Structure formats: structure tokens, C-alpha cells
Amino acid sequence: MATCSDEEDAVIAGCAFDFMHVHGEDEKCHDVPKPVTNDAVKDFATAVAEREKGVKHDHEEGSGCPYRVDIVDVRNIDSEVIYLVRFTETCNQKRNYFLKRYDDFKRLDEDLRNADQKRPSDEITILAHLPDLPSNGRFGFRRSLSKLGMSDFIDKQREALQQCMDTLIGQVPDLSTQPHLQAFFCKVGKAKRGALNALEEQALQQEQMLMSTMIADARSFVTLESVQGFWRLTTSQRIWQIMPDGIATLDGRHRGHQFDWIESGVGAERTIMRPDGWEIDLDKSTPQKLIWLFPGKAVVEWVRVADDIAKEALQRVKALRESIRKNTEARRIDRVQTRGPSADAQ
């Protein structure tokens, strides 16, 4: 009996053999794919509804929900560096976006360090390590040049801030236990918003417009049109082909509508998903690399494959299938000849 590769099976929801080990068509995979119907639109709607309801997957009750923080974009506007930060609850892929300045990160760092200093010595802290925040001016003159697009200072600072957030959030199983981090990732509530004066309300609306624009821009690079072509998982040599209409084939064969791609929505609300629930992370994907997300599952990466390389690989798969077919037929004929027609008929 054939066995399956867990890494690829998480994405194709079927048997995940390398193309050099294609099995017979009558062999079945141990892993059972997620049930789907014959209605692609219905299955897609079900997957979307689960996301909106915050359905959790693969997490035991009380085990907590891992978080992920991504700085998905950065802008230099009127000499002010603004970061678009995404906070994700990975067990249900619920996401919130925030605009942050360096001073916001600095204030968080100061609050966490002050709280750590005031903590009783016998009290156990979840944040065992507070990473060093990158300086906002250690690159001196190069930072001034970066405002004119003449330096990579902003990109380096973005990477350093991302590392800080990764270190912090990786230590927190429950955000409610860290009030300073919780406040950092807290949206303005209706009660607080009602207390804003006219100028503050106008500033908040401008922030929201800027955030929507940054989200839409970050997502604009990956569309159904830009991703058509050949792809593979980073851990596999099997070839996926995406057609202009979203139809997806694996190793030259259509495996079911649950693997086809559907693009919906516009701007910051645009998504590309499959009816089986997997979704492309449009914020972080590019036309050369796709990041796949599913509630409670590890992130999966696809990379683009050049047309000539993909077509050559598909030809090898085709030849191997034909060889398997011929060998299967030869074995069948051999059994008939060995056992005799009457035995085979029985």
C-alpha cells in the first residue's frame, strides 16, 4: 500500500507522492481528504462562512491560540515612516490591521521593560526575553537619505522590528496575560471613539483611509491573472498548473474542484481561496512565491516553476504513467495466462 507525505498532503488533500514514485490508479491514499460536494460555489461559501464565524481547527480546548505578527508594508509619508502591521490569530485566521510608527514600538518596549522591573522577584514572567529595539537613528546620515529613497535604512529597520515582534509574540500563548501587548493590538472602540473631538475624528478617518490603501496596495501584486502558470511546493517536485479561470491541475490532471482557485472581493477585501478552505496570503505573497494559510495549520509555500522546466517534468510524469499502465496490463495478461481463462473468470 502506498503511503503519503504529510507536508504535501496538507495542500493537495490527496496522495502526495513525488512524481518519480507515481502509484497505480487503483491504489488509495491513507489520508482522507476533506469532504466536498459537487458544487464549487457552495463549498467556497462554506469555507468563507467558517472564517467569518471564527471556526477554530486542530486546537484542543484551553490550549490557547498561537499568534502571528507581520509588518506587511512600510511607507515614508512626509518624512514619517508608517508601518502596516497585521495581527493574526492562527487558529481561525482572524486578522486585524494597525498603522504604527517607530514611537509606538518604542513606547511598547518601554512599557514592557518598566513592567518587568516592577515585577516581584518570585513572580514567573511569560516574557522571559525582551529583545532589543533597533535604534531610530543609529544609521545617522543614511537615515536622512532614506527619506529620499537613497538608502535601505527603512527596510533594515523593518526587518529588525519584525524580529522583535516575532520574539515577543512567540512567548505569549494568551494575549490577555500581557496587558501592554494587548493594548498595542487594540482597535479604537466605539465608546472611546465617541469621545473624540472633530479633529481627532478626522485624523482617525484619515488613518483608516491610509490603512485601507496600504492593504489594497500590498495585495495588488497577486491576482488570478498574475499567478497563472506552473508552481510547486518548496518541499516537492510535483507540478501544479493554474489556468486563467482558476482551474488547477496537479501533474497534468484535474484533481477536483476543491483545488481550483476562486478570486472574490475588491481592494482590501479581495481574496483568492480554494473551496477546501486554503487561502493565499495576499499581503505577503508575490507573483514568484505564494504563501498558503489555513486555520490551525502551518504556513505552506509555493514557488513558481519556469515553463520549460515544468513542461519537461510533466512529460516525465506522462511517460511514467504510460509505463505503469503497460506494466499493469502486462501483469494482468500474465496472470490470465498463468491461471488460465477459467480461473480468472471465477
Side-chain angles (χ1 to χ4, degrees):
M1 177 65 72
T3 57
C4 290
S5 162
D6 289 337
E7 291 183 359
E8 181 154 327
D9 189 62
V11 175
I12 70 171
C15 207
F17 298 99
D18 185 88
F19 70 84
M20 292 302 292
H21 299 88
V22 178
H23 58 91
E25 294 296 328
D26 59 337
E27 291 188 81
K28 295 183 179 180
C29 177
H30 289 302
D31 289 351
V32 179
K34 179 181 177 181
V36 294
T37 71
N38 292 323
D39 188 338
V41 175
K42 180 179 179 180
D43 290 330
F44 177 75
T46 299
V48 173
E50 286 188 351
R51 295 290 181 87
E52 292 178 347
K53 289 190 299 183
V55 175
K56 297 185 178 181
H57 300 260
D58 295 350
H59 283 271
E60 297 180 0
E61 193 69 26
S63 63
C65 182
Y67 307 107
R68 186 171 62 248
V69 176
D70 298 292
I71 301 178
V72 299
D73 195 13
V74 58
R75 295 284 178 90
N76 189 355
I77 301 177
D78 296 331
S79 298
E80 183 179 43
V81 180
I82 301 175
Y83 300 92
L84 175 63
V85 180
R86 183 183 69 185
F87 180 83
T88 306
E89 298 178 40
T90 60
C91 58
N92 55 23
Q93 289 302 322
K94 181 180 179 181
R95 303 164 206 152
N96 284 304
Y97 294 84
F98 305 88
L99 292 185
K100 300 292 185 182
R101 279 75 171 171
Y102 178 84
D103 286 347
D104 296 319
F105 292 98
K106 183 179 180 181
R107 190 176 305 110
L108 172 64
D109 181 71
E110 292 173 347
D111 289 342
L112 292 175
R113 293 184 187 282
N114 289 335
D116 186 61
Q117 291 177 357
K118 296 178 180 179
R119 175 178 55 86
S121 58
D122 58 346
E123 180 181 308
I124 299 177
T125 177
I126 294 178
L127 294 177
H129 173 60
L130 294 177
D132 293 330
L133 194 71
S135 170
N136 196 31
R138 64 184 178 186
F139 293 99
F141 182 62
R142 283 191 294 165
R143 179 173 182 272
S144 298
L145 294 181
S146 70
K147 297 177 181 178
L148 303 175
M150 299 171 63
S151 172
D152 61 355
F153 170 82
I154 293 177
D155 290 335
K156 288 182 177 180
Q157 189 175 64
R158 172 183 177 176
E159 292 176 4
L161 288 172
Q162 179 68 64
Q163 291 174 2
C164 285
M165 298 311 299
D166 289 343
T167 300
L168 286 174
I169 211 67
Q171 302 177 72
V172 181
D174 186 352
L175 198 66
S176 64
T177 63
Q178 292 296 322
H180 297 299
L181 272 173
Q182 189 175 36
F184 188 78
F185 294 112
C186 181
K187 287 185 174 295
V188 178
K190 291 183 178 180
K192 184 176 180 180
R193 184 163 182 169
L196 300 178
N197 58 41
L199 289 177
E200 292 172 331
E201 177 66 26
Q202 182 181 11
L204 182 59
Q205 291 178 357
Q206 291 176 346
E207 285 276 288
Q208 292 176 334
M209 290 178 59
L210 174 59
M211 184 165 63
S212 295
T213 299
M214 291 180 70
I215 295 173
D217 288 349
R219 291 169 160 248
S220 65
F221 297 103
V222 175
T223 65
L224 204 54
E225 180 180 4
S226 71
V227 298
Q228 59 182 289
F230 300 99
W231 297 84
R232 67 172 178 83
L233 278 81
T234 54
T235 55
S236 171
Q237 294 300 316
R238 304 190 74 187
I239 302 296
W240 284 93
Q241 183 176 10
I242 310 305
M243 309 299 182
D245 58 359
I247 297 297
T249 64
L250 176 62
D251 289 343
R253 290 185 176 178
H254 186 242
R255 306 292 174 143
H257 77 260
Q258 64 266 40
F259 309 122
D260 295 336
W261 301 14
I262 300 176
E263 184 174 21
S264 63
V266 296
E269 303 301 320
R270 188 171 61 85
T271 62
I272 299 179
M273 290 183 64
R274 303 193 321 190
D276 63 357
W278 284 89
E279 177 184 1
I280 295 178
D281 186 347
L282 297 180
D283 296 331
K284 299 185 67 179
S285 296
T286 72
Q288 299 301 319
K289 184 176 74 172
L290 300 178
I291 308 297
W292 285 94
L293 304 173
F294 189 91
K297 300 288 187 181
V299 169
V300 174
E301 292 187 7
W302 284 20
V303 292
R304 186 179 286 279
V305 181
D307 288 2
D308 56 340
I309 295 176
K311 290 176 181 178
E312 181 180 345
L314 291 176
Q315 283 298 320
R316 292 200 298 271
V317 172
K318 184 177 179 180
L320 186 54
R321 284 197 181 113
E322 180 62 17
S323 175
I324 290 174
R325 187 192 67 78
K326 290 181 179 179
N327 290 337
T328 302
E329 179 64 15
R331 289 196 300 270
R332 187 189 68 79
I333 294 174
D334 184 63
R335 287 197 302 268
V336 171
Q337 293 175 343
T338 301
R339 298 160 55 191
S342 58
D344 187 67
Q346 293 176 1

